[in-house]
Amino acid sequence: MDVKKLVLGSVFVLSMFAFCGCTEANTTQAVSWKWESTYQFTLRNGEFEYHVNTQTLAVSASSYKGENIISIPSKAREVSDLEVNGGNLSWSYPDLGIDVNVEAISDEHLRFNISSDEDGTFTWPMVAADEYVLPLGEGKYIPSNDPYWADYLNDMEMNTIESLSMGFFATGQGEQGIVYIMENIFDNKMVFKASDGYISFDFVHDFVSINPDRNYGFDIYITANDPASIAKVYRDYVISAGRFRTLEQKAQDNPNVEKLYGAIHMYFWDMSVISEEDVNWNVFKKELQSDEIVYIKKFLRENVDGGDEAADILEQMTEQEFVYKYQKAAICQSLSKALMMPDFYDSKSLKGTDSEMADLVFKGVKNLTEAEVIELNRRALYNSVKGAFSSPETWAYDRTLDVIRDIKESGIDRAWIGMDNWEQGFIHPELVKLANDSGYLIAPYDSYHSIHELGKEEWNTAKFDDPSLYDNATIENEDGTKVSGFQGVGRKLNPTLSLPLVDDRINHILDNEIEFNSWFVDCDATGEVYNDYAAGHITTQKEDIDARLE
């Protein structure tokens, strides 16, 4: 199953969805592999003649259009159990514990299956061609002799499920292209070389000890050497496998999918609870010696990351005639962090109140949602430093709601809006509501990829309340070492154990009554998957993927 992020834009990806193509034709009839020499076999099928060397696993196809190399030869190996059965050719490499089967499906289609009962790696195919079409990101066309690509790819190893956005690659040789569709997308890598200015690569499969599936292989198709033809082959393959769903079909299950048609994508990264435009700086400056500002300076120093700088600026301002732009920004950034903290409100230090505050205080701070905590804090600040702030209902609108209104008034009817994380929704639930009312999709950033030690979290998506998870639910390499988290911080969380955490977090966010209508799940929706060798939760790459999809 393809689990990479869907990225529209490459010529061949667009072609895959835009053009109609025929399914397989010219099914093989009464064709058989013929012995040519000790290890060399040939099969004539339609216009193509296929050549397989069982000792070196060199494979090629020839026609009136020329010869196409499917795999260059590897070193010669001992061959046993050689058998021909019509269009099937099979043999073994006893020293490696490898069995190979080649099946002629049609005149343009060979199927290779390679299996092993032993652990270890096996390399095939070994690919060298004039040009390559690789689904890297939106798709790349790479001439083999391109010096920039040669320099970039030389000695690079690509995990195929992580690096390729779809489960195939293709080569071009003359008029013909060869499409290699992976039958097993797990435990593979492509190892690139650039020798004498020409790019080639080896495909390496790892038969890992914990994986009961001991097979890998390819459906190999010959087609025209152009991106559209190559893409159509893969598209037809996905359709025939029953894995193709259009956006229209997906919208039948979730009507919000229709809002993606032609939608622009944008991101709101600003976490401001209050902005410089919300402060009457002349009045604020006059209150710098008040008990309320003295309390705020102390709170910033003791509780807020970077709060010392803002507190120092507040002290410097008493000697200044003007407040500089940088100073305003630093103060508002630290205040925004403070206003999100449940300990900020102190009734003895921030004495101003109003009816909305009174209702929140009556509930008890410990019983408030995150959104309610922020609302209590900003009302306390507003009411306690009289005249220094505009109405808290509109704080930071210059970078939030006003932007959405401008976009809508500009005639943009379809948009997907991503937020830095769900806390932005707690800060501005009215922003999320306005996006909904405007017909847009809006989502928080979320991830269940990394986990940090409890109390040492560097970002909130890596925070989980159960302290046992860090040791008991994280991924181990075969040597027993833990897999490091994003940017080397913390550890990777095993997705087969994270589903209850997903439910807890999403339910907690929704308990704040924030009307998100989509969700941005980072990392977990890419192909960065693992084999986990940890005792008690051994997990293969396939099981990892299946858990993420669930």
Side-chain angles (χ1 to χ4, degrees):
M1 176 175 289
D2 291 299
V3 292
K4 313 297 289 195
K5 289 187 287 186
L6 177 61
V7 185
L8 300 179
S10 74
V11 173
F12 69 90
V13 175
L14 286 174
S15 300
M16 183 173 71
F17 292 98
F19 294 95
C20 292
C22 297
T23 55
E24 199 160 278
N26 299 320
T27 302
T28 181
Q29 294 183 358
V31 298
S32 180
W33 292 95
K34 305 296 183 182
W35 177 78
E36 287 186 351
S37 61
T38 306
Y39 299 107
Q40 190 73 29
F41 289 80
T42 298
L43 180 141
R44 181 75 185 184
N45 194 3
E47 69 175 87
F48 294 101
E49 189 171 79
Y50 294 97
H51 310 276
V52 174
N53 186 301
T54 57
Q55 191 177 40
T56 65
L57 248 178
V59 182
S60 63
S62 59
S63 70
Y64 71 92
K65 294 181 180 179
E67 184 179 26
N68 296 91
I69 304 300
I70 295 172
S71 179
I72 62 176
S74 65
K75 65 179 182 179
R77 305 180 178 98
E78 179 184 352
V79 176
S80 68
D81 301 323
L82 185 61
E83 183 176 345
V84 174
N85 183 9
N88 281 325
L89 173 64
S90 61
W91 68 96
S92 299
Y93 297 125
D95 292 345
L96 302 175
I98 294 289
D99 297 321
V100 181
N101 186 79
V102 186
E103 181 182 3
I105 305 298
S106 74
D107 60 344
E108 298 176 347
H109 180 185
L110 290 183
R111 178 172 294 152
F112 280 77
N113 178 265
I114 299 171
S115 61
S116 178
D117 290 330
E118 299 183 13
D119 301 336
T121 62
F122 188 75
T123 300
W124 193 88
M126 301 170 65
V127 182
D130 297 334
E131 57 222 19
Y132 305 97
V133 175
L134 304 181
L136 299 172
E138 297 179 354
K140 300 294 184 290
Y141 166 80
I142 304 173
S144 178
N145 61 353
D146 185 288
Y148 300 103
W149 275 108
D151 182 63
Y152 174 74
L153 290 173
N154 189 35
D155 294 328
M156 181 179 290
E157 294 187 3
M158 289 185 182
N159 180 323
T160 57
I161 195 171
E162 181 178 342
S163 299
L164 304 184
S165 55
M166 287 174 284
F168 80 98
F169 55 86
T171 65
Q173 300 172 48
E175 296 182 33
Q176 294 176 324
I178 300 176
V179 183
Y180 303 71
I181 299 177
M182 290 175 264
E183 288 294 321
N184 181 350
I185 62 176
F186 304 104
D187 300 309
N188 305 314
K189 64 181 178 181
M190 300 163 71
V191 181
F192 287 86
K193 296 172 287 187
S195 179
D196 298 324
Y198 287 87
I199 301 166
S200 63
F201 65 86
D202 295 341
F203 189 97
V204 182
H205 180 76
D206 191 1
F207 293 98
V208 299
S209 60
I210 62 173
N211 192 346
D213 185 355
R214 313 298 296 182
N215 297 271
Y216 87 102
F218 296 87
D219 280 288
I220 296 177
Y221 297 83
I222 299 178
T223 188
N225 183 17
D226 65 79
S229 296
I230 289 168
K232 285 161 64 179
V233 168
Y234 184 68
R235 188 221 27 211
D236 289 345
Y237 171 84
V238 173
I239 291 173
S240 67
R243 302 205 305 260
F244 183 88
R245 292 187 74 204
T246 65
L247 282 177
E248 184 178 7
Q249 290 171 321
K250 293 178 181 179
Q252 293 174 1
D253 297 330
N254 182 357
N256 272 334
V257 169
E258 293 183 351
K259 296 178 182 179
L260 286 172
Y261 303 166
I264 64 169
H265 285 51
M266 67 185 77
Y267 296 87
F268 280 73
W269 296 114
D270 193 281
M271 292 285 290
S272 298
V273 180
I274 186 171
S275 72
E276 300 91 307
E277 302 300 320
D278 304 316
V279 184
N280 184 324
W281 291 99
N282 290 327
V283 175
F284 184 79
K285 192 170 179 298
K286 293 176 182 179
E287 298 293 329
L288 289 174
Q289 303 297 336
S290 67
D291 291 342
E292 289 81 3
I293 299 298
V294 170
Y295 165 75
I296 290 170
K297 285 191 293 186
K298 184 174 184 294
F299 187 89
L300 293 179
R301 290 193 187 281
E302 295 178 354
N303 299 282
V304 175
D305 183 25
D308 280 335
E309 181 187 16
D312 289 343
I313 290 172
L314 289 172
E315 293 179 357
Q316 294 165 10
M317 284 170 54
T318 61
E319 306 296 328
Q320 296 175 194
E321 185 176 353
F322 303 103
V323 185
Y324 298 103
K325 182 177 180 180
Y326 175 83
Q327 294 176 317
K328 293 178 181 179
I331 291 169
C332 288
Q333 287 171 9
S334 288
L335 278 177
S336 290
K337 294 176 183 178
L339 292 169
M340 296 178 67
M341 296 180 176
D343 296 333
F344 177 76
Y345 174 65
D346 179 355
S347 60
K348 295 180 180 179
S349 301
L350 300 174
K351 299 176 182 178
T353 188
D354 60 25
S355 59
E356 289 86 348
M357 269 188 70
D359 291 340
L360 294 170
V361 171
F362 180 76
K363 284 186 177 182
V365 174
K366 292 182 179 180
N367 299 319
L368 300 180
T369 66
E370 284 92 334
E372 289 173 329
V373 166
I374 295 168
E375 180 64 15
L376 171 63
N377 288 339
R378 63 181 152 202
R379 287 193 169 277
L381 180 61
Y382 169 76
N383 287 306
S384 298
V385 189
K386 294 292 186 179
F389 305 101
S390 61
S391 175
E393 287 86 359
T394 61
W395 283 3
Y397 272 21
D398 59 313
R399 58 197 64 187
T400 53
L401 276 78
D402 290 347
V403 178
I404 298 294
R405 294 189 183 105
D406 285 347
I407 292 168
K408 188 67 175 179
E409 290 170 4
S410 298
I412 296 174
D413 294 323
R414 295 172 185 264
W416 179 89
I417 301 167
M419 306 187 88
D420 187 36
N421 62 59
W422 56 86
E423 289 182 342
Q424 279 181 290
F426 299 163
I427 297 169
H428 295 295
E430 67 275 17
L431 169 65
V432 180
K433 183 178 186 305
L434 178 61
N436 272 275
D437 293 344
S438 300
Y440 299 152
L441 293 171
I442 187 164
Y445 174 94
D446 199 3
S447 177
Y448 302 86
H449 179 255
S450 296
I451 180 172
H452 297 173
E453 284 190 81
L454 199 63
K456 299 180 180 179
E457 298 88 357
E458 295 193 18
W459 47 85
N460 64 350
T461 59
K463 181 179 180 179
F464 300 94
D465 292 333
D466 185 347
S468 69
L469 296 175
Y470 193 73
D471 290 321
N472 300 330
T474 44
I475 297 172
E476 286 185 10
N477 294 308
E478 192 169 11
D479 63 5
T481 59
K482 293 289 187 179
V483 177
S484 297
F486 178 65
Q487 294 185 340
V489 182
R491 296 171 177 173
K492 295 285 174 62
L493 185 64
N494 185 315
T496 66
L497 304 174
S498 68
L499 189 57
L501 308 177
V502 176
D503 290 338
D504 289 346
R505 178 179 291 171
I506 292 177
N507 287 332
H508 171 72
I509 294 169
L510 296 179
D511 284 344
N512 279 264
E513 299 182 353
I514 311 300
E515 300 177 18
F516 292 120
N517 57 11
S518 65
W519 220 265
F520 183 106
V521 183
D522 196 11
C523 301
D524 306 273
T526 70
E528 190 180 0
V529 299
Y530 297 92
N531 293 307
D532 185 358
Y533 293 85
H537 51 84
I538 291 173
T539 307
T540 66
Q541 288 186 4
K542 184 180 185 305
E543 291 168 332
D544 182 308
I545 287 283
D546 290 343
R548 294 169 194 252
L549 291 173
E550 183 181 352

